[in-house]
Amino acid sequence: MAAYDKSDLERRMAGAVEALKHDLVGLRTGRASVNMLDPVTVEVYGSHMPLNQVATVSAPEPRLLSVQVWDKSNVGPADKAIRSAGLGLNPIVDGQTLRLPIPDLTEERRKELAKLAGKYAENARIAARNVRRDGMDGLKTDEKKGLFGEDERKRHEAEVQKLTDATIGDIDAAAAAKEKEILGK
């Protein structure tokens, strides 16, 4: 069994990029996004449930989120969960609907968010480099086992490096786009 598997490396590197994109979606940019409330969990029926399992979240306007709570008894817990989630949002209760105006971001908060986006990107780069290291180690192991020679190992190493460079390029592009969006430039 070969330790080097190119498709596995591609899958793992794509996973690092997807994880980064998921992290970046949660960063608030001053525009309403239904994904902003993904981390919110509501205590209902004796357990903690994601907000999207007790209500419908929509963005009817660019700077407003609407949360339509399905069960009237869950309006209070949903309101409390959103307030205590650390998102800086203050719901306005209107019957079974919670309206969440998205406040303007201060310059300081924008810089903090941009820094956080950079940190997420660095974690994704580290993940990609770890996948690269695993691939290179696998190639050396396969060469020692006699599965292929030095020339083939070097050719595969070049493929792994090319894949790593492309993945890090994707990570940098996603982070740069998010920073631009956050800083409003």
Side-chain angles (χ1 to χ4, degrees), residues 26-39:
L27 292 181
R28 192 159 72 79
T29 60
R31 266 192 233 101
S33 164
V34 293
N35 302 42
M36 285 171 58
L37 300 177
D38 284 355

Side-chain angles (χ1 to χ4, degrees), residues 124-141:
R125 283 187 211 97
I126 290 167
R129 288 188 204 112
N130 287 342
V131 173
R132 174 182 165 267
R133 186 194 61 230
D134 292 349
M136 296 296 193
D137 291 349
L139 287 168
K140 288 175 184 148
T141 303

Side-chain angles (χ1 to χ4, degrees), residues 81-97:
I82 292 167
R83 286 180 193 278
S84 62
L87 297 170
L89 300 173
N90 293 310
I92 300 163
V93 181
D94 181 13
Q96 279 181 244
T97 303

Side-chain angles (χ1 to χ4, degrees), residues 139-156:
L139 287 168
K140 288 175 184 148
T141 303
D142 287 354
E143 183 187 13
K144 283 182 185 149
K145 286 181 187 172
L147 295 173
F148 47 73
E150 184 181 354
D151 290 347
E152 196 170 345
R153 174 183 56 87
K154 285 184 177 175
R155 190 173 53 75
H156 286 311

Side-chain angles (χ1 to χ4, degrees), residues 6-172:
K6 186 178 177 191
S7 63
D8 180 55
L9 295 178
E10 288 171 342
R11 182 188 55 76
R12 288 171 58 198
M13 286 201 186
V17 174
E18 284 310 306
L20 170 68
K21 287 179 178 174
H22 184 267
D23 288 342
L24 292 178
V25 162
L27 292 181
R28 192 159 72 79
T29 60
R31 266 192 233 101
S33 164
V34 293
N35 302 42
M36 285 171 58
L37 300 177
D38 284 355
V40 177
T41 56
V42 185
E43 195 173 340
V44 288
Y45 313 121
S47 67
H48 288 273
M49 297 174 74
L51 180 66
N52 62 10
Q53 290 184 11
V54 295
T56 303
V57 180
S58 62
E61 297 172 29
R63 301 187 56 86
L64 180 75
L65 284 176
S66 174
V67 179
Q68 180 69 43
V69 183
W70 302 326
D71 183 344
K72 202 176 270 183
S73 66
N74 294 337
V75 173
D79 177 44
K80 183 180 169 198
I82 292 167
R83 286 180 193 278
S84 62
L87 297 170
L89 300 173
N90 293 310
I92 300 163
V93 181
D94 181 13
Q96 279 181 244
T97 303
L98 301 174
R99 288 198 314 275
L100 293 97
I102 309 298
D104 276 330
L105 292 174
T106 63
E107 190 60 33
E108 187 178 322
R109 183 71 177 136
R110 286 180 192 274
K111 286 179 179 158
E112 281 175 30
L113 290 172
K115 206 181 280 183
L116 189 56
K119 194 172 111 186
Y120 288 160
E122 186 53 34
N123 290 342
R125 283 187 211 97
I126 290 167
R129 288 188 204 112
N130 287 342
V131 173
R132 174 182 165 267
R133 186 194 61 230
D134 292 349
M136 296 296 193
D137 291 349
L139 287 168
K140 288 175 184 148
T141 303
D142 287 354
E143 183 187 13
K144 283 182 185 149
K145 286 181 187 172
L147 295 173
F148 47 73
E150 184 181 354
D151 290 347
E152 196 170 345
R153 174 183 56 87
K154 285 184 177 175
R155 190 173 53 75
H156 286 311
E157 282 179 349
E159 282 178 4
V160 172
Q161 187 58 51
K162 194 173 169 186
L163 177 63
T164 305
D165 293 343
T167 302
I168 288 182
D170 291 348
I171 289 167
D172 291 344

